[in-house]
Amino acid sequence: MKRTIRRMYLSRSARSRSGTVGLLLRLGRYFSPRRRLQFVGLMVLMLIGGLMEVLTLGAVLPFLAVIIAPERIFEYPIGVKVSEFLGLKTGSELVLPLTIAFAIAAVVAGGVKLLLLWFNIRLANAAGSDLSVEAYRRTLYQPYQVHVATNTSEIISAIGKVDIVIVILNQVLIFLSAVVMTISIVLALFLAQPGIAATAFIGFGSIYALIIALTRRRLLRNSKVLSHYSTLKIKALQEGLGGIRDVLLDNSQIVYCDLYRQSDLPLRRAQGQNTFIGSSPRSTVEALGIVLITVLAYALSRQSGAGSAAIPVLGLLALGAQRLMPALQQIYGAWAFVRGYQSTMVDLLKLLEQPFPLSVLQPLPPALQMKSGIEFSSVSFRYNQDTPWVLQDASFKILQGTRVAFVGSTGSGKSTTVDLLMGLLEPTKGEILVDGVPLRGEYCRAWQQNIAHVPQQIYLADTTLAENIALANATKGVDIDRVKRAAQQAQIAGFIESRSSGYYEVVGERGIRLSGGQRQRIGIARALYKRASVLVFDEATSALDNATEREVMTAIEGLGRDLTIILIAHRLTTVQGCDLIVEMEQGRVVAQGTYEELLSTSPSFQVMVKGNHE
């Protein structure tokens, strides 16, 4: 069921155009116009860097020729113009100005490279942040139905992989920059010595082309290994640390250590292989490059007949090779990295390409204040056509200001019914009416503004008691007076005010310094802080002992009649004072009424009461 639902919400494009270039283009759709403009600016800077490379290398041959024979400067038209402009008569007088000019050009070219590197890194990180925020935003705004069907380890792993995608973007930019530099270097060499340029480019290029052909499949296979095992690694961490109490009691540390090792070791091996594949050609190509330069130097010296005449050409060749080999290695290294982490981009795109409801971008409507009540009219629900009905033909009414409980065995449909009531799920059939109006669209969003939910497991952040009561609203600033009123209503104010730091006491991670009853009452206070008029308690007392449960129920019963309270309960002692009890079994409403009415008319309810007492 989970897999079917998840496939429903994944974009079709996420399962196609899976080539590296296609994946990068799909990522590019999620950049803002400003970010795209910055990428264009970066390309312009790359072209400027390439032009500087051409000018620097193009000046090497005449510069070395002038150093060896200064009078040759007048063989170049630009040399004549410079000498006339500076008022110099002999070639030797031009050596110093030319040396300074060449050095300045080299420094400027280096500065452009440094600026390009800085811009590359800055833009890649900014773009990565855009993708990370967008992936998280789209995930949070998915319907509850999608969250139910999704493994959180996959989501956390995919969002965590944005760090790798940032490196991928940086490598792509390095790749493009290196391509521009390589073309510029080859062009400069070709203009000076076409034969040497062709030999060097074909020689070095063929080596890398052969390496790419030999490693591309291994890199793609490793990318799938990295994607798969990084998710399993996070899953092992979540399960081991999330259930640390049971792990310690059962002495099952070795089990989770083995799970972690089984995911971490293949992950590290794949990473190591990718690093080796990306870096290893450099040593080989450098060695072959030296051999190639040696052979060309020998050939040039034999052709020229004089060593001095070959020095400028050899200098150009040496400098060109010194620039060309790192550029080719950058191209190959960037390609290998992107190829090796290709599946990581696929994982991130699955989050980015989730459908995004445009309605959530609109301002929140005012909270819907219920005046008469909620009605379920023949409501049925199932997740999709291939799954069984979870709820069938449910009909009942909840009046404003009443206490209503849903009871039944596990799997009877209680939680699904309450999820439908809160607007987290939409009925497959039938209608849910609030004050006679169907619960849909903007009306549903307005309705949710009026609901506060108290789950069985209260989430507590490692911060102050006041901020835990305010929680999501704390970003707007904690209203301490409002916090105190909520704490008093939840009957937790006495405990809080007895602490040394009062409302500013830190609760510890997951509220480890609080008892179960205290955590539940913090949850009630949080719901009351929201100032909602409908409170939903989803088995909020099932994990508590009897004495603590009585205390929490006393706090709930003490809330005013201006609040509508809905309970899901296993223990029937918690629902005796409710105005209405809805008994459910196998997705159907089998009985409804007060505690006394069900006790006298419903055999199944009598069995539940008897079982609870036993």
Side-chain angles (χ1 to χ4, degrees), residues 54-83:
V54 170
L55 294 176
T56 304
L57 282 176
V60 170
L61 190 61
F63 175 70
L64 292 177
V66 169
I67 292 295
I68 296 169
E71 298 304 323
R72 294 188 60 184
I73 187 63
F74 297 108
E75 296 177 7
Y76 300 98
I78 191 170
V80 175
K81 292 181 180 180
V82 170
S83 61

Side-chain angles (χ1 to χ4, degrees), residues 477-519:
V478 176
D479 184 338
I480 194 63
D481 292 331
R482 188 168 158 188
V483 166
K484 289 179 179 179
R485 283 195 300 273
Q488 287 169 357
Q489 285 181 287
Q491 297 187 21
I492 190 69
F495 164 77
I496 295 175
E497 291 167 5
S498 69
R499 312 302 294 173
S500 58
S501 301
Y503 288 91
Y504 301 99
E505 176 112 345
V506 175
V507 302
E509 186 178 6
R510 292 178 293 177
I512 197 169
R513 300 173 190 169
L514 303 176
S515 69
Q518 290 162 353
R519 285 196 291 269

Side-chain angles (χ1 to χ4, degrees), residues 414-483:
K414 304 185 300 296
S415 294
T416 301
T417 301
V418 171
D419 287 340
L420 286 161
L421 185 149
M422 293 189 292
L424 294 175
L425 299 174
E426 294 182 5
T428 307
K429 295 180 180 179
E431 292 281 8
I432 300 174
L433 308 172
V434 178
D435 294 339
V437 181
L439 196 60
R440 301 194 201 103
E442 285 299 293
Y443 198 71
C444 182
R445 295 181 74 203
W447 168 243
Q448 288 173 336
Q449 294 267 18
N450 196 42
I451 294 177
H453 179 236
V454 183
Q456 180 179 355
Q457 298 295 330
I458 303 297
Y459 168 76
L460 293 176
D462 188 12
T463 183
T464 66
L465 287 162
E467 288 177 336
N468 267 289
I469 291 174
L471 199 59
N473 296 290
T475 56
K476 305 172 185 176
V478 176
D479 184 338
I480 194 63
D481 292 331
R482 188 168 158 188
V483 166

Side-chain angles (χ1 to χ4, degrees), residues 57 108 111 137 139 177 192 211-212 214 272 291 322-323 333 363 371 389 397 432 436 462 488 527 575 590 603:
L57 282 176
V108 171
R137 184 175 73 122
T139 300
S177 178
I211 294 171
I212 287 173
L214 294 174
V291 172
Q322 186 265 338
R323 298 282 183 86
K371 297 177 180 177
W389 291 100
K397 292 182 180 179
I432 300 174
D462 188 12
Q488 287 169 357
V575 302
V590 295

Side-chain angles (χ1 to χ4, degrees), residues 145-199:
Q145 189 171 339
V146 177
H147 288 282
V148 170
T150 305
N151 190 314
T152 56
S153 297
E154 295 178 10
I155 295 175
I156 293 171
S157 176
I159 293 178
K161 289 172 184 175
V162 172
D163 290 339
I164 298 175
V165 174
I166 290 173
V167 182
I168 289 174
L169 292 174
N170 188 46
Q171 290 296 321
V172 170
L173 295 176
I174 289 174
F175 176 90
L176 295 174
S177 178
V179 167
V180 172
M181 288 296 175
T182 299
I183 294 173
S184 301
I185 292 167
V186 172
L187 178 62
L189 291 174
F190 187 82
L191 292 174
Q193 291 288 332
I196 292 176
T199 302

Side-chain angles (χ1 to χ4, degrees), residues 579-592:
D579 303 300
L580 174 68
I581 298 173
V582 179
E583 183 187 353
M584 304 190 69
E585 192 60 46
Q586 296 182 351
R588 294 182 180 273
V589 176
V590 295
Q592 51 184 304

